[in-house]
Amino acid sequence: MRRGISAVAMAAAIVLGATACGGSSDNKSTGDAAKDPAGVSGDITYWDTSDATNEAPVYQSLIKDFMAKYPKIKVKYVNVPFSDVENKFKTAAQSGKGAPDVVRADVGLIPEYASNHYIAPLDGTAALKDTGDFTQGPLNTTKYEGKTYGVPSVTDTLGLLYNKELFAKAGITKPPTTWDEFISVSKTIKDKTGVTGTYVNPDTYFLMPLLFGEGTDLADAAAKKITINSPEAVKAVTKAKEIYDTSSAKVDFASAYDNMQTSFKNGKVAMLIQGPWSVSDDISGSAFKGKESNLGYAPVPAGSTGKPQAPTGGHDLAVYQGSKNLDASYLFTEFMTSSASQVTIATKTGTLPTRTSAYTPAVTADPKIAGFKSIMDTARPRVALAQVGSLFTPLQQQYVKILQGQVSVQAGLDAAASEFATLLPGFTK
Amino acid sequence: MTTATIDRQSRGTAPRAGLMTSFKRSWDKHWYAWAMVAPVVIVIGVLVLYPLGYGAYLSFTNANEMTVAKNIGPVHIPASYDIVGFDNYWKIISGQDGDFYPRLIWTVTWTVTCVAFTYAIGMGMALLLNRPVRFRLFYRLSLILPWAIPAFVSVFAWRLMLNSQYGVFNSMITQVGLPAQDWLGTPFAQKVAVIMVNVWAGVPFMMVALLGGMQSVPQELYEAAEMDGASPWQRFLNITLPGLRPVSNTVILLGVIWTFNMFPIIFLLLGQNNSGDTDILVTYAYRKAFTGVSDYSGAASYGMVILAILLVFSTFYRRYQAKTEQA
């Protein structure tokens, strides 16, 4: 019998040994960060989603500066690919294991993270400082149900990028301001130079300027109404289909983004609806290399409302609600979004700052930042719904079918709307 | 003989031991064996049984990311989802969700086509390599290569090659005057492309397994058949194929299960801008669970349905196999 007992003990030891691994934690929060920032100590992890080769070194050097300023705080930098971060963060945040303390979140993800309580409200913490200095568009993206859940770090929007040389060759003096003009300009360019007008990106994010141009969106959060199959949306998508049919190069749906970029930067298409993130790639191509002034910037064309509008993009920094070192996380967030840090980020990476004071002459000397700064006035936030990420999948599938001509615009959008209805309980069609 | 009889008699007459007693006795006798299997049982329990049981439980609820319990820092929110019984399954089986049957039909088409092609091509290659050829080792090694490359690497390589504007296939066929193709454009073209890539990736396994099977077929049978004047085709039909039956049965079963759940090729080859027509059941379930607000219950019920389909298939296949082996 004694041998039996020892076997039980052995099995118990294995079980306990396996479970004990997950238990350790160092829970030390030293006072209020706002009152005594220098006294805050601890280890925090930061998940960055910036471009790993071009942008990450700038963020890493800023982290070194932060640790020099707060020697008691140690920051672990982790670069997570932008396409993976949503699922990785949500999984980690839910289980509490391996979650970062501070995460860089696309502005569109804030409502989803906030509604699930993954990220902490920041009002009244050390993370938010000089909020009056932030430009309104980016600041609006951090709000969810009246609270602030993020601090704007960088911003962007979609604009119309065009090849000035091709425009001059075709005798066009100014970029198109409406979608109808966009189509006629494409035709002129095709006739006079043989170059195709544009390359339609079949990703639904690039459909937003058309929807906004008709004054509509995926849904109306205030009225609890799905608007994706409204007459305005049908009009917008019909226009998108017309552009695809008349003005676009042949779209390779599996590699649309890469082919679009390659075509534009090598002068095979004349115009693109694109964001500032693409410019450094554009100027590496034969059409713009060594002649960066050939790249023109304009607001997206307007729809029948007459007002050009594009979605506010960019990234906010958010703090994980379950962080063991909230104070250190707040200080880190504040540091990384301060005016000085934003100037460094902007001058070294060419992304647009979110603070008015960060648009120093040195920053606006960058033609890309200068080009998009004026376009930023056309940016408007997307509908702030927790489910907005889920909505893109059915819309994407229908949009592809519409562009390929498998379904009519109305039928496709109706199908998307019924899928929306199952994802948005309480919303009317 | 006598001892055995005595044993049986004495066991028969002894009073029936209670469950606890017999368990205790077996424990006393075999505790060592139990201790040895304990780590495996625990690991399987943690890694397989617990997730499986939890998945089954979720499939009877309407849990999603918004309604599960949350304990994050200062926030403690109890779960707000309900048990809905067979509601999820009913939605799937009755075709109410509108996606199950189209996805199932395509999944079955995809599985049958892929397994048929990989098996046939693998068999052909194994036959070629089973004969004395020069550089046989080199051929064998190089044909295994697709299998050795991680799926996502080869899938991205294929995606580059199939690019309609800058891919190598189109530049080759336009060189000889044929029109450029949109390999990954329409849903039909996408289906052909994913099957092609999967066949390419799946052939080496079939080839290696069948080659191994062929080498275990006794050489004397071929010699005897040759003596009797059997043609090569007759030898293949009457010696190679029956000799390969145990191997074939196993690789086809494995091929079906793997292809049915082949995630990376479909998910990665086509990117995100597609109409969803090429989604098989697993990629569809993945999209349910991992885009936007996670639909845990929906994805879990799809997972259980996939498991059920494969279980039913395996059972019948094994039964059929046992029957043919007896015959």
Side-chain angles (χ1 to χ4, degrees):
Chain A
M1 228 28 233
R2 275 191 56 187
R3 287 193 303 180
I5 291 166
S6 70
V8 173
M10 196 165 101
I14 292 167
V15 176
L16 290 177
T19 51
C21 301
S24 75
S25 64
D26 50 337
N27 198 346
K28 47 181 165 191
S29 188
T30 34
D32 189 355
K35 280 181 209 140
D36 178 22
V40 175
S41 66
D43 291 359
I44 57 172
T45 305
Y46 168 54
W47 279 9
D48 188 27
T49 56
S50 68
D51 183 273
T53 45
N54 297 324
E55 298 179 356
V58 181
Y59 287 87
Q60 278 166 311
S61 78
L62 275 176
I63 289 171
K64 270 202 198 103
D65 297 347
F66 174 78
M67 288 197 282
K69 191 175 171 192
Y70 299 98
K72 288 183 188 164
I73 302 176
K74 216 171 153 282
V75 182
K76 190 178 161 221
Y77 174 91
V78 182
N79 193 291
V80 183
F82 174 67
S83 53
D84 302 348
V85 74
E86 183 187 354
N87 278 325
K88 258 186 118 163
F89 177 69
K90 289 202 303 184
T91 311
Q94 236 178 52
S95 69
K97 292 190 185 80
D101 299 276
V102 180
V103 63
R104 186 175 188 252
D106 182 274
V107 295
L109 293 172
I110 295 288
E112 187 180 337
Y113 288 174
S115 65
N116 282 305
H117 309 282
Y118 299 147
I119 52 178
L122 300 175
D123 303 278
T125 68
L128 278 173
K129 216 169 157 185
D130 305 329
T131 42
D133 189 24
F134 286 114
T135 48
Q136 205 52 47
L139 192 60
N140 283 342
T141 66
T142 65
K143 307 272 195 231
Y144 181 75
E145 292 188 342
K147 287 188 197 164
T148 312
Y149 284 91
V151 186
S153 169
V154 296
T155 187
D156 62 55
T157 191
L158 293 173
L160 176 74
L161 301 184
Y162 63 99
N163 188 325
K164 287 182 181 166
E165 214 174 272
L166 288 170
F167 268 54
K169 238 193 234 171
I172 295 158
T173 48
K174 65 176 192 53
T177 53
T178 66
W179 294 111
D180 290 321
E181 247 180 79
F182 184 84
I183 292 169
S184 65
V185 162
S186 295
K187 192 171 176 324
T188 315
I189 292 173
K190 184 84 190 170
D191 291 345
K192 297 235 171 104
T193 67
V195 171
T196 312
T198 188
Y199 192 116
V200 167
N201 187 336
D203 190 291
T204 39
Y205 186 70
F206 293 76
L207 178 64
M208 300 312 280
L210 282 140
L211 289 173
F212 290 172
E214 300 300 327
T216 189
D217 200 334
L218 305 180
D220 184 339
K224 291 210 152 217
K225 191 165 163 44
I226 293 163
T227 52
I228 194 59
N229 60 345
S230 63
E232 293 81 18
V234 172
K235 202 171 162 193
V237 178
T238 309
K239 192 56 77 184
K241 169 82 171 138
E242 190 187 337
I243 295 168
Y244 174 83
D245 288 338
T246 60
S247 313
S248 173
K250 178 104 183 71
V251 173
D252 184 304
F253 283 82
S255 313
Y257 189 89
D258 292 343
N259 285 11
M260 167 178 84
Q261 278 302 110
T262 315
S263 305
F264 182 65
K265 72 184 181 189
N266 295 321
K268 296 213 174 93
V269 301
M271 303 178 277
L272 280 191
I273 302 300
Q274 254 293 23
W277 60 81
S278 71
V279 174
S280 49
D281 180 37
D282 291 334
I283 56 179
S284 71
S286 61
F288 305 104
K289 197 162 192 171
K291 38 180 178 175
E292 287 169 30
S293 59
N294 187 28
L295 183 63
Y297 304 85
V300 292
S304 57
T305 57
K307 222 171 110 190
Q309 281 192 318
T312 309
H315 297 272
D316 298 334
L317 292 190
V319 174
Y320 176 48
Q321 181 110 263
S323 166
K324 301 275 190 296
N325 287 303
L326 280 172
D327 287 337
S329 306
Y330 295 151
L331 285 176
F332 178 71
T333 307
E334 188 277 319
F335 180 88
M336 295 299 277
T337 54
S338 66
S339 196
S341 297
Q342 293 207 357
V343 169
T344 312
I345 294 168
T347 47
K348 298 225 171 105
T349 69
T351 48
L352 279 88
T354 56
R355 284 182 180 275
T356 322
S357 63
Y359 285 90
T360 59
V363 170
T364 48
D366 186 327
K368 168 169 46 167
I369 293 178
F372 267 95
K373 186 175 185 284
S374 53
I375 301 175
M376 282 315 297
D377 305 334
T378 65
R380 70 170 246 192
R382 284 165 271 167
V383 57
L385 283 171
Q387 296 91 340
V388 83
S390 312
L391 299 182
F392 277 110
T393 309
L395 180 61
Q396 181 68 65
Q397 298 187 340
Q398 296 303 328
Y399 185 41
V400 169
K401 284 184 189 172
I402 291 169
L403 289 182
Q404 293 188 341
Q406 296 178 50
V407 293
S408 73
V409 174
Q410 184 72 55
L413 292 182
D414 283 345
S418 341
E419 296 262 1
F420 280 22
T422 63
L423 294 164
L424 297 170
F427 275 60
T428 55
K429 265 201 273 183
Chain B
M1 199 62 206
T2 38
T3 39
T5 330
I6 291 164
D7 244 20
R8 205 179 293 146
Q9 275 171 349
S10 67
R11 205 180 289 162
T13 50
R16 249 189 128 74
L19 196 67
M20 264 324 277
T21 332
S22 74
F23 177 75
K24 228 176 196 173
R25 216 173 264 165
S26 129
W27 176 256
D28 279 342
K29 204 167 169 188
H30 301 297
W31 71 268
Y32 192 71
W34 285 112
M36 285 289 116
V37 297
V40 178
V41 170
I42 290 166
V43 167
I44 288 181
V46 169
L47 294 184
V48 179
L49 296 179
Y50 170 69
L52 190 67
Y54 192 58
Y57 164 70
L58 281 179
S59 71
F60 292 109
T61 67
N62 59 1
N64 65 28
E65 196 179 348
M66 314 283 277
T67 56
V68 292
K70 294 200 180 72
N71 291 296
I72 303 166
V75 177
H76 301 284
I77 297 168
S80 57
Y81 57 84
D82 303 307
I83 304 283
V84 295
F86 285 90
D87 197 39
N88 292 321
Y89 291 104
W90 174 243
K91 274 192 193 134
I92 293 172
I93 304 295
S94 67
Q96 248 183 60
D97 73 348
D99 284 307
F100 177 66
Y101 287 104
R103 300 282 63 78
L104 179 68
I105 291 167
W106 161 235
T107 309
V108 171
T109 321
W110 143 266
T111 307
V112 170
T113 324
C114 284
V115 173
F117 273 112
T118 43
Y119 182 76
I121 297 175
M123 173 76 85
M125 286 183 160
L127 281 173
L128 289 177
L129 289 180
N130 196 27
R131 321 188 299 150
V133 238
R134 221 190 293 177
F135 309 123
R136 189 158 72 161
L137 186 69
F138 169 75
Y139 288 133
R140 282 186 186 177
L141 286 180
S142 50
L143 283 169
I144 293 176
L145 218 61
W147 194 24
I149 302 172
F152 74 94
V153 175
S154 51
V155 170
F156 280 123
W158 275 94
R159 191 160 149 181
L160 289 176
M161 293 193 292
L162 291 168
N163 189 314
S164 66
Q165 274 148 302
Y166 306 103
V168 66
F169 283 137
N170 269 352
S171 68
M172 277 192 317
I173 66 168
T174 46
Q175 284 283 313
V176 297
L178 293 166
Q181 294 299 311
D182 195 358
W183 301 99
L184 302 173
T186 61
F188 180 74
Q190 293 179 337
K191 287 178 179 177
V192 173
V194 286
I195 289 176
M196 185 167 76
V197 175
N198 192 47
V199 167
W200 176 84
V203 158
F205 168 73
M206 290 286 182
M207 185 192 78
V208 171
L210 293 173
L211 192 58
M214 279 176 197
Q215 284 169 351
S216 68
V217 177
Q219 204 56 42
E220 297 81 40
L221 291 177
Y222 289 104
E223 284 164 14
E226 235 171 306
M227 293 281 226
D228 293 340
S231 69
W233 175 245
Q234 283 174 322
R235 271 178 274 155
F236 172 71
L237 219 57
N238 297 314
I239 301 174
T240 314
L241 274 189
L244 280 179
R245 189 172 288 153
V247 178
S248 294
N249 284 337
T250 312
V251 294
I252 289 176
L253 181 66
L254 283 175
V256 166
I257 293 174
W258 285 341
T259 315
F260 203 87
N261 285 337
M262 178 53 77
F263 183 82
I265 289 179
I266 290 195
F267 193 75
L268 296 177
L269 188 68
L270 305 174
Q272 298 305 304
N273 298 326
N274 67 68
S275 56
D277 288 309
T278 35
D279 269 332
I280 55 172
L281 289 171
V282 265
T283 55
Y284 180 78
Y286 176 88
R287 280 189 219 279
K288 263 193 169 329
F290 295 107
T291 48
V293 177
S294 304
D295 179 5
Y296 298 129
S297 55
S301 15
Y302 263 86
M304 298 314 287
V305 169
I306 293 169
L307 179 69
I309 294 173
L310 287 176
L311 272 182
V312 168
F313 168 76
S314 312
T315 316
F316 278 95
Y317 187 79
R318 299 299 296 202
R319 211 174 273 175
Y320 158 80
Q321 198 181 313
K323 228 183 258 170
T324 50
E325 263 167 27
Q326 271 168 8

